[in-house]
Amino acid sequence: MGWFDDDFYSTKVKRKTRREFRLGRRGSYEFGSRDRYGPMFKVALVSSLASSLVVAIVFTLFAGHGGTGSGSSRVVSTAPIVETSERTVTASAKIRPAVVSIINRTQQNVDLDDEESLENASLGSGVIFRKEKGKALIVTNAHVLEDAAEVQVVLVNGKMLPATIVGKDTITDLAVLQIDATGIDTVAAIGNSETLQEGETVIAIGNPLGFADSLTSGIVSNLHRTIPISLNQNGVYDWEEEVIQTDAAINAGNSGGALADLDGKLVGINSMKIADMGVEGIGFAIPINDAMPIVEELIASGKVLRPYLGIYSMNYASYLDSLKQQQMIEEDPDAQKIPDDQKIDELPVPDDVKKGVLVLEAVGPAKEAGLKLNDLIVKFDDQTISNTIEMRKYLYNHKKIGESLTISFYRDGKLQKVAVKLTEKNEDSE
């Protein structure tokens, strides 16, 4: 049985509809077996020509006016339809030579011999995005270069080159490397992440698990997924990152690699995935439109200049949860009691205040302005501050170095205000 089982696709013709063909005297095929079919054939021919003419006129009218009567024209594309698989092959061929593997040797394994050093090194990926002044610039993730003492880059052809860190930023998890550009011919074309659509096919290229030059594909699952981040890796979320979610496979070592569209253009930097039992197909990439301004600042300054307030803090809501748990333990006769030196003191704050940022330590500008332990910050200027994420976002998105910030806070149950002059934020500062 063939793929198609109906008369429409069959090459056979039903017996009752079969016409007889015979070879005429002059070598041409004649339709029919009797002359009486001649007039019927002429009528059919005229009708067919008339119908074709009507269809052509109607098509011309609709093509010219868009079928809306508004007078606007619509261009009918004559471009050939290309299969997605063919576009994936073409796109990967364009950008793959620009994707590199990154070997990060910390000081601890730099002192080992070459073989042991390589085995103990951490691996990541990067993308060559520019060549200038005999150097090639590579964008990657900042966490790929964590504690780096020596960095090497492996090109797609296997050539290994020493790399210099131009700059990195832990907040956005972006970094820029520099290598010698000799022999490097391919630079990734920068795309536009704002034109991506959910459901659009994308490809991820990198060095997962040490398998260099690996390619996976998937779709864009979400264009503006907000992911909470713990910058200090202490389990406390103190930043949020807006990322592209994709189901293209991203594994350890893919970090810093390319997320590309089917035109072979760089639309994101693969950054992280959810790695948990039973979780599949949830990976994230930094949108290239968000990444490039940071990259340019790293090239210009070696770091991202941000205003610095100078406080170590915790969410007031977390403090209230801890206080509640302490009270439950104290009321439970069977529970092990908390030592006095580990108990949390209840702060004199109005009962209707449930959110804010509690100061654990003030240094730098905050200390100079008079902030101190257990001050509860509730506003920056006229903006309500509910947690540390909102605090950072307001500082980094709305204030500049050298500007003054008015802080509203509770101390000893009373609402007070103080002005703080913001200074430059150092890489190691909170």
Side-chain angles (χ1 to χ4, degrees):
M1 181 179 293
W3 285 108
F4 303 105
D5 204 24
D6 53 39
D7 289 331
F8 182 81
Y9 286 101
S10 177
T11 57
K12 298 180 180 179
V13 182
K14 290 182 179 180
R15 183 181 303 276
K16 65 180 180 180
T17 60
R18 188 179 300 163
R19 296 297 178 91
E20 182 181 350
F21 291 84
R22 60 187 174 87
L23 187 61
R25 293 180 180 176
R26 297 183 180 179
S28 61
Y29 280 101
E30 297 180 8
F31 185 85
S33 59
R34 300 183 183 179
D35 292 340
R36 66 183 181 185
Y37 291 124
M40 294 175 62
F41 177 72
K42 292 178 181 178
V43 171
L45 180 61
V46 172
S47 299
S48 177
L49 291 173
S51 299
S52 299
L53 181 61
V54 171
V55 170
I57 293 172
V58 171
F59 179 79
T60 302
L61 290 174
F62 273 83
H65 298 285
T68 61
S70 62
S72 60
S73 61
R74 182 178 65 181
V75 178
V76 179
S77 175
T78 59
I81 298 175
V82 182
E83 293 290 339
T84 300
S85 59
E86 294 181 21
R87 294 191 63 192
T88 302
V89 172
T90 303
S92 63
K94 288 181 180 179
I95 194 170
R96 263 178 132 155
V99 180
V100 302
S101 300
I102 296 174
I103 301 173
N104 171 13
R105 292 184 172 93
T106 63
Q107 187 60 55
Q108 183 177 1
N109 63 51
V110 163
D111 297 333
L112 302 174
D113 61 52
D114 289 341
E115 185 174 346
E116 287 182 322
S117 177
L118 186 58
E119 289 177 354
N120 289 278
S122 57
L123 303 176
S125 307
V127 186
I128 302 171
F129 68 94
R130 185 178 301 168
K131 283 175 59 178
E132 59 183 16
K133 300 178 181 178
K135 300 295 183 181
L137 297 177
I138 299 168
V139 58
T140 185
N141 287 141
H143 75 260
V144 170
L145 306 178
E146 187 176 2
D147 300 325
E150 181 180 291
V151 181
Q152 291 176 304
V153 165
V154 183
L155 304 181
V156 71
N157 60 8
K159 184 178 180 180
M160 184 179 293
L161 298 171
T164 302
I165 299 176
V166 175
K168 60 180 180 177
D169 180 58
T170 56
I171 300 292
T172 57
D173 195 21
L174 290 168
V176 176
L177 293 173
Q178 179 178 278
I179 60 174
D180 182 74
T182 303
I184 294 176
D185 301 319
T186 303
V187 173
I190 304 299
N192 184 356
S193 54
E194 290 298 320
T195 62
L196 286 174
Q197 300 180 56
E198 293 178 0
E200 181 175 344
T201 299
V202 287
I203 54 180
I205 309 174
N207 178 29
L209 306 176
F211 295 107
D213 189 31
S214 289
L215 170 71
T216 58
S217 68
I219 62 169
V220 173
S221 305
N222 191 289
L223 287 169
H224 303 286
R225 183 70 71 197
T226 301
I227 302 296
I229 303 295
S230 177
L231 295 175
N232 297 324
Q233 300 296 312
N234 59 2
V236 177
Y237 296 129
D238 45 12
W239 185 247
E240 286 181 337
E241 193 167 344
E242 189 173 280
V243 291
I244 299 168
Q245 180 184 333
T246 175
D247 68 347
I250 296 175
N251 294 288
N254 266 121
S255 293
L259 186 73
D261 60 19
L262 291 189
D263 291 323
K265 294 183 177 180
L266 185 66
V267 293
I269 304 299
N270 297 323
S271 181
M272 52 187 155
K273 65 173 291 185
I274 294 180
D276 203 352
M277 183 69 69
V279 177
E280 294 182 5
I282 302 180
F284 305 103
I286 303 168
I288 199 63
N289 288 32
D290 294 343
M292 288 311 296
I294 301 297
V295 167
E296 296 297 344
E297 192 165 353
L298 290 175
I299 294 171
S301 306
K303 58 184 177 180
V304 177
L305 302 177
R306 292 190 178 91
Y308 176 53
L309 175 59
I311 65 169
Y312 296 89
S313 60
M314 70 177 296
N315 293 333
Y316 185 58
S318 299
Y319 161 81
L320 291 178
D321 288 342
S322 298
L323 186 63
K324 185 178 180 180
Q325 291 177 7
Q326 176 177 284
Q327 292 171 346
M328 292 175 62
I329 291 174
E330 290 178 346
E331 294 171 0
D332 186 353
D334 298 327
Q336 184 177 357
K337 301 306 178 183
I338 301 173
D340 291 339
D341 60 347
Q342 296 181 15
K343 287 185 178 180
I344 302 172
D345 295 328
E346 187 170 358
L347 300 178
V349 176
D351 292 338
D352 59 339
V353 178
K354 303 296 183 183
K355 295 181 179 181
V357 174
L358 191 62
V359 177
L360 302 179
E361 183 182 1
V363 297
K367 183 178 181 180
E368 292 176 5
L371 287 173
K372 61 181 184 180
L373 174 68
N374 290 337
D375 284 345
L376 178 60
I377 298 172
V378 292
K379 277 188 178 183
F380 279 177
D381 296 330
D382 295 323
Q383 176 70 44
T384 298
I385 300 298
S386 300
N387 51 53
T388 55
I389 293 177
E390 291 182 3
M391 178 183 71
R392 286 179 182 271
K393 282 192 170 184
Y394 188 85
L395 276 176
Y396 298 162
N397 297 336
H398 300 283
K399 306 301 289 187
K400 295 180 179 179
I401 296 171
E403 290 185 343
S404 180
L405 173 70
T406 299
I407 300 178
S408 300
F409 64 98
Y410 283 97
R411 178 185 293 172
D412 298 328
K414 297 180 180 179
L415 185 63
Q416 303 182 38
K417 290 186 178 182
V418 67
V420 180
K421 186 176 182 180
L422 302 172
T423 61
E424 180 180 331
K425 181 184 182 298
N426 297 320
E427 180 67 20
D428 297 329
S429 300
E430 170 66 14

